[in-house]
Amino acid sequence: MWKSLFGGLVVLLAVYLALFGRKKQYNPDDVKGLRVVVTGGSSGIGEQIAYKFASMGAKLHVSARRESKLIDVTAHAKDVGAQEAHYFVASLSSYINASLLIQDAMQKLGGIDVLILNHFTSPYVGFYRHEAKDIEQLFMTNMLTHAHLASAAMETLKENKGRIAATSSAVAFFGSPYTIPYTTTKCALVGFFQSLDHELTINKTDVSVSLVHLGYIGTKSSSVIQDKIKHKPASKVECAAEMVRGIMMREREVYFPASVSWVPLFQALFPDYISNQVQQTYRDNAFS
Ligand SMILES: NC(=O)c1ccc[n+]([C@@H]2O[C@H](COP(=O)([O-])OP(=O)(O)OC[C@H]3O[C@@H](n4cnc5c(N)ncnc54)[C@H](OP(=O)(O)O)[C@@H]3O)[C@@H](O)[C@H]2O)c1
Ligand SMILES: *[C@@H]1O[C@H](CO)[C@@H](O)[C@H](O)[C@H]1NC(C)=O
Ligand SMILES: *[C@@H]1O[C@H](CO)[C@@H](O)[C@H](O)[C@H]1NC(C)=O
């Protein structure tokens, strides 16, 4: 009975998708000259977002801790078409560095049109150690600096009808084993930016907030779980392209891969099924 109901639902969704699922596209000319700030821009998804914006003639500001990587990223961004490409070396483990980052971007770009909050760190993948301190220590880098960066840039974003994006994960929808501190910070990130979006709308500002919900994407940081996970990762290049599309279209929620967009509905309808799927994500005995 459940199986046929499930099958019927899948068919309905497929029909719905075929009819209404086409995504709205932006005009690449609108990107030319946009001043784009990307945190966590030295590798992975952030690096690809930088290149995507660069290829359409944006002015970039990327940041992270590793200067040598940032030098490479800005050089490549210029090669593929960035009008300007600047970098700032900072560990986003303090409010001070977050403030300095915005100051630096303002000085070099003269204003900010797009603020992409993408940096994160994860201390370990494995069973929770029952140490709340592990969670506390992640909050500054994975959530509080995002909130601080958005506030520090708010004035220029309001002046420029700007865009804010924050990178979250599908784990924030259903929780996840083996990444409890990380998952906790992502849930907080979602709560903050969805709520901020409400206040910005109520205040009739022209600043949009895009929450990006990602599934498993192939990057250096996710490679540590590659041999422990049953699924194949999605492409970081395609991920960045979809993020840029959603941000340019000022979409509130952006999903990649597309299947992530069905998770909230499926979870509401079939919570046990989703729980089971989550627990089946990792190979048996991956952490024992
Ligand atoms: N890959 C996935 O499967 C996946 C799934 C869901 C969500 N996401 C999200 O996607 C975003 C990008 O992740 P990714 O997969 O592209 O990982 P990544 O390649 O490891 O990128 C992380 C970026 O953050 C920077 N960073 C790390 N610690 C930092 C710190 N203390 N201060 C400042 N910058 C720091 C890193 O540069 P430095 O080391 O040079 O500082 C790097 O540029 C993250 O928000 C992540 O949660 C990824
Ligand atoms: C700011 O970032 C720099 C460069 O990564 C780092 O050396 C320093 O410790 C950070 N400062 C604080 C207060 O977090
Ligand atoms: C909304 O407006 C109020 C009153 O002017 C102000 O205090 C608040 O900071 C604004 N919020 C945002 C998110 O801009």
Side-chain angles (χ1 to χ4, degrees), residues 143-273:
M143 193 271 146
L144 296 172
T145 46
H146 299 64
H148 189 77
L149 287 161
S151 298
M154 194 53 78
E155 200 182 312
T156 179
L157 289 169
K158 283 182 179 171
E159 279 169 12
N160 297 306
K161 302 187 189 335
R163 295 167 167 87
I164 301 172
T167 320
S168 184
S169 164
V171 298
F173 289 134
F174 41 66
S176 175
Y178 313 126
T179 57
I180 286 184
Y182 168 79
T183 303
T184 307
T185 61
K186 287 296 185 191
C187 289
L189 193 70
V190 171
F192 176 80
F193 281 100
Q194 285 179 333
S195 305
L196 181 67
D197 183 50
H198 287 304
E199 292 199 1
L200 289 168
T201 306
I202 289 167
N203 277 10
K204 297 192 169 54
T205 66
D206 294 312
V207 180
S208 58
V209 178
S210 297
L211 236 307
V212 183
H213 308 277
L214 300 182
Y216 176 33
I217 317 293
T219 63
K220 189 112 187 291
S221 70
S222 69
S223 69
V224 298
I225 52 169
Q226 202 169 2
D227 58 335
K228 302 189 188 305
I229 238 170
K230 289 177 188 164
H231 308 294
K232 285 223 153 29
S235 148
K236 63 183 175 185
V237 177
E238 286 169 28
C239 174
E242 173 57 9
M243 284 178 68
V244 171
R245 190 200 62 75
I247 294 163
M248 287 308 295
M249 296 311 298
R250 298 185 184 274
E251 289 177 3
R252 284 199 167 79
E253 317 285 337
V254 180
Y255 305 90
F256 189 86
S259 52
V260 176
S261 66
W262 297 107
V263 169
L265 177 66
F266 272 61
Q267 200 193 3
L269 293 174
F270 309 107
D272 292 343
Y273 173 78

